[in-house]
Amino acid sequence: MAIRIFSTAFAIGALLSAQPLMAGNALMPAGTPVAVARSTLTVTPEQEWNRLSARPGRNSETWTLDGDDLNGVNFYSIESGRALFREVSKKTKPLPHFSSTMLLTDIPALLENSYRIALGTTLFTMTEVEPVPFLGTRGVRFSYSFRKQMEDVSRNGEAVGAIVDGRLYLMSFDAPAILYFDRDIAAFRQMVSTARLESVAPVARR
């Protein structure tokens, strides 16, 4: 089922003013490897997800179950010198750029500083950072909490990333701390466990 509707979830979703899923989005099938973020990074979800037509940045994309404000997974494939998101204001609020010389321990700060500018986040706390294997190499997993600008909703997040051949591959999951994060974090971790770098060309967007 593309979009899960539960009475409790729907009620909370309405309170959070979630953005509705729009035409142009695509259904990602369960059990099939899918290339993401215009790269050879593939994941195999065990349930259907909705891929949003709007991209956070040039080489990134967002999947969600109920709406990106409720349970959004972002995939990034970032080359050196590029930002995670589209610039908000390159002149007055330039986004930090990824560098292939970064250490894995720099990646959490890259995401945090990007959120502070792109989302206007003033409240951001990194709660845990640990090394993990990812994409066949050393990676980093980190957890965080934050609030968006002009919003009174506490959100939790988890991300896993690695630098392979000078390119940053990053997956992140953000959701309100109430209900959605605890309910859907397992689905995100399942996709992380299937993440691979394939040698084939990425699947074309539908």
Side-chain angles (χ1 to χ4, degrees):
M1 182 169 62
I3 306 172
R4 296 180 299 172
I5 302 295
F6 299 99
S7 57
T8 303
F10 183 84
I12 294 176
L15 291 174
L16 295 172
S17 300
Q19 296 298 313
L21 297 173
M22 302 175 63
N25 302 328
L27 184 66
M28 298 293 101
T32 301
V34 179
V36 295
R38 291 174 172 164
S39 73
T40 57
L41 173 63
T42 69
V43 295
T44 306
E46 67 177 11
Q47 62 181 303
E48 294 177 340
W49 286 75
N50 298 281
R51 183 174 61 192
L52 305 187
S53 58
R55 294 176 179 272
R58 182 184 182 197
N59 283 84
S60 58
E61 65 184 61
T62 301
W63 291 16
T64 183
L65 295 169
D66 304 289
D68 59 331
D69 262 355
L70 300 180
N71 36 36
V73 172
N74 284 336
F75 302 93
Y76 306 89
S77 167
I78 306 297
E79 60 187 300
S80 188
R82 295 285 183 179
L84 296 179
F85 302 106
R86 289 189 176 85
E87 293 284 357
V88 176
S89 172
K90 188 177 290 186
K91 185 175 181 179
T92 61
K93 295 181 179 179
L95 287 164
H97 289 183
F98 165 68
S99 170
S100 59
T101 61
M102 281 183 168
L103 303 175
L104 285 174
T105 50
D106 295 328
I107 303 307
L110 174 67
L111 185 73
E112 175 182 348
N113 293 329
S114 298
Y115 272 34
R116 289 186 181 279
I117 295 174
L119 303 181
T121 302
T122 56
L123 297 175
F124 190 108
T125 302
M126 197 68 65
T127 55
E128 185 176 7
V129 180
E130 63 176 347
V132 292
F134 184 55
L135 301 178
T137 186
R138 292 185 302 168
V140 61
R141 176 168 56 207
F142 50 101
S143 303
Y144 50 90
S145 60
F146 68 101
R147 290 187 182 184
K148 293 183 179 180
Q149 190 176 35
M150 305 296 289
E151 189 180 84
D152 193 26
V153 177
S154 296
R155 298 176 182 275
N156 291 339
E158 183 171 300
V160 182
I163 299 171
V164 180
D165 295 332
R167 195 176 191 91
L168 172 62
Y169 295 92
L170 183 67
M171 297 172 59
S172 66
F173 172 70
D174 296 339
I178 300 175
L179 177 64
Y180 288 93
F181 185 84
D182 288 342
R183 192 192 72 179
D184 298 323
I185 184 63
F188 168 70
R189 290 171 178 167
Q190 181 275 322
M191 283 201 288
V192 169
S193 71
T194 68
R196 302 286 186 275
L197 288 177
E198 304 291 349
S199 58
V200 297
V203 175
R205 291 177 68 93
R206 291 181 291 183

